[in-house]
Amino acid sequence: MDTADRDLYEILGVEKNASDEDLKKAYRSLARKHHPDVNPDDPSAEARFKEINHAYEVLSDPEKRAAYDRFGSEDGAGQGGVWNADNGGFDPFGSIFEAFFGGSPFSGGARTGPARGGDLKAVLQITLEEASSGAKKTVTLDGRPTMCSECGGSGLKPGTSRSTCSECGGRGRVQSVASGPFGQFSTVHTCPRCNGQGSVADSPCSACGGVGRVRKMASISVDVPPGVDTGTRLRVRGEGEAGSRGGPPGDLYIYTEVLPHRVFQRDGDNLVVEAPISFSQAALGDELVVPAIDGSEAKFKLPEGTQTGRQFTVRGRGMPRMRGAGRGDLIVQVRVVTPTKLTERERELLQELDTTRGSASPDGSRTFFQKVKDLFDKK
């Protein structure tokens, strides 16, 4: 659909009563997202970017916006001309480039200075024991951009130099002019020949093809502190992508993933463990011993008459706190195990116990059936 047939407010994604600040905010967000330099592999990005620019040009001008709102089309919104840094006209790229790319494309400056390398991300799986005690682990990065050792990152064959790019004249950017509903307007793109550097290698380095970086496998040693959890982010400075033109490397961000444990369940800084107990232990009480995450044992008193599902807290035997001192707690949840295979003697003892206790329920109160019988007898 032609831009002239589309609603300009719809293009920017704002309401018709949008303020100037709302328009500017929507334009900046869309311009950054759809700028051709940000989307070099998307052939539709340039057309979308021009459409966004045109909508903002009309709606940001009070007179043009009033005419557009009144006539419902762009016919009454006035006629535009070629804009650029030289004619003092509308320059929508200046602010957006200054905000997101460090300067206006019309300044003519090529990207010749050092540029920091990009950050990298990796996921590191660790056991609950490692999360508790801390560990030294190794993260392997397959194909990390690393500075070319042959040319030292310059992209040049040893003994050669760079020359001014003939396509952009050393500016790093090229300008093109297109026609629109309001006349002509120009757009500026990164020079495809020199990639914005303003110069090209006379004899590119054979090892990296003139890029200055090569992809290599890297093994990074990581210190995992005690208390990490799934989603904890660890930063390793200087282990990201190599910088360009002598710039510093980026950082490596590692996100930990704590694997499930066969005994413990984690609840924040606390650990939950299930302890099976016998009928006699539940009835008579006992001193119970359960494992702790550090490999030691934790003891606590099991009182008489303990029921299935009851929880007991052993203070300070959980996970270490990453922020703050101390550790969480160990929560022990008991489960009474009913025997399935009884000896003749065990059966006799249980029958004797049942006879001794009579028809009372396990807690000593009347049985469920007695309560139901009483309910019907009252009617």
Side-chain angles (χ1 to χ4, degrees):
M1 181 184 293
D2 194 341
T3 304
D5 297 327
R6 290 196 60 189
D7 183 86
L8 300 186
Y9 293 97
E10 180 185 344
I11 292 174
L12 293 181
V14 297
E15 300 293 334
K16 289 191 176 182
N17 60 350
S19 64
D20 292 342
E21 187 61 29
D22 292 335
L23 289 172
K24 184 182 296 184
K25 186 182 297 185
Y27 168 72
R28 283 173 175 257
S29 176
L30 292 172
R32 182 189 184 191
K33 180 180 179 181
H34 296 283
H35 193 280
D37 286 355
V38 183
N39 303 274
D41 300 326
D42 184 4
S44 64
E46 181 175 351
R48 174 66 174 147
F49 185 71
K50 291 177 181 179
E51 182 181 55
I52 295 166
N53 168 65
H54 169 66
Y56 183 68
E57 179 184 4
V58 175
L59 299 181
S60 63
D61 185 298
E63 294 183 4
K64 292 181 180 180
R65 182 178 181 179
Y68 177 76
D69 290 343
R70 181 180 179 184
F71 296 104
S73 69
E74 299 173 17
D75 295 336
Q79 294 296 320
V82 177
W83 51 263
N84 52 46
D86 299 325
N87 65 14
F90 176 64
D91 179 3
F93 295 116
S95 60
I96 196 69
F97 264 82
E98 186 174 355
F100 300 117
F101 300 102
S104 170
F106 304 107
S107 61
R111 299 195 297 263
T112 57
R116 180 181 181 275
D119 295 330
L120 296 177
K121 297 179 181 179
V123 175
L124 175 64
Q125 292 185 333
I126 58 175
T127 64
L128 187 63
E129 286 85 356
E130 291 172 329
S132 174
S133 62
K136 184 176 286 292
K137 304 288 287 184
T138 299
V139 175
T140 301
L141 303 178
D142 188 10
R144 180 183 67 170
T146 307
M147 184 180 69
C148 177
S149 58
E150 186 72 20
C151 65
S154 67
L156 301 173
K157 185 177 180 180
T160 64
S161 60
R162 305 180 70 89
S163 59
T164 301
C165 176
S166 59
E167 187 162 340
C168 66
R171 290 173 298 182
R173 298 184 178 277
V174 292
Q175 181 176 338
S176 61
V177 179
S179 298
F182 300 119
Q184 292 181 315
F185 62 96
S186 60
T187 57
V188 178
H189 310 282
T190 299
C191 177
R193 185 165 186 263
C194 67
N195 292 320
Q197 296 189 46
S199 61
V200 293
D202 295 331
S203 298
C205 172
S206 58
C208 64
V211 179
R213 299 186 297 182
V214 293
R215 292 188 174 274
K216 291 184 177 180
M217 180 175 292
S219 295
I220 313 300
S221 180
V222 182
D223 289 320
V224 179
V228 298
D229 202 350
T230 295
T232 299
R233 189 181 76 167
L234 306 176
R235 181 182 184 183
V236 186
R237 295 182 182 274
E239 293 294 351
E241 294 184 357
S244 59
R245 302 183 295 279
D251 297 330
L252 172 63
Y253 289 94
I254 297 175
Y255 294 83
T256 57
E257 179 184 347
V258 182
L259 298 172
H261 198 275
R262 62 184 181 87
V263 175
F264 300 100
Q265 287 186 341
R266 186 170 183 172
D267 182 13
D269 294 328
N270 297 331
L271 291 175
V272 180
V273 61
E274 184 181 76
I277 60 175
S278 66
F279 171 76
S280 59
Q281 285 179 307
L284 303 175
D286 197 1
E287 184 178 59
L288 206 62
V289 179
V290 295
I293 189 63
D294 59 4
S296 63
E297 294 180 340
K299 299 180 181 180
F300 68 95
K301 187 71 174 178
L302 189 71
E304 295 181 4
T306 297
Q307 303 298 311
T308 287
R310 183 173 176 181
Q311 292 185 339
F312 300 88
T313 300
V314 183
R315 301 291 181 188
R317 302 302 296 272
M319 296 293 291
R321 298 185 176 94
M322 282 195 67
R323 296 174 179 82
R327 304 175 70 100
D329 300 327
L330 178 62
I331 310 298
V332 183
Q333 181 170 299
V334 299
R335 174 173 57 87
V336 180
V337 179
T338 303
T340 56
K341 295 182 179 180
L342 299 174
T343 65
E344 196 62 36
R345 178 56 180 160
E346 289 172 336
R347 186 181 299 276
E348 291 175 358
L349 290 173
L350 287 175
Q351 288 175 341
E352 182 179 344
L353 175 63
D354 185 62
T355 302
T356 301
R357 292 182 62 84
S359 58
S361 65
D363 61 359
S365 63
R366 291 177 303 164
T367 65
F368 170 76
F369 297 103
Q370 287 175 324
K371 294 177 182 179
V372 173
K373 181 177 181 301
D374 292 344
L375 179 64
F376 280 99
D377 289 342
K378 291 178 182 179
K379 293 184 178 181

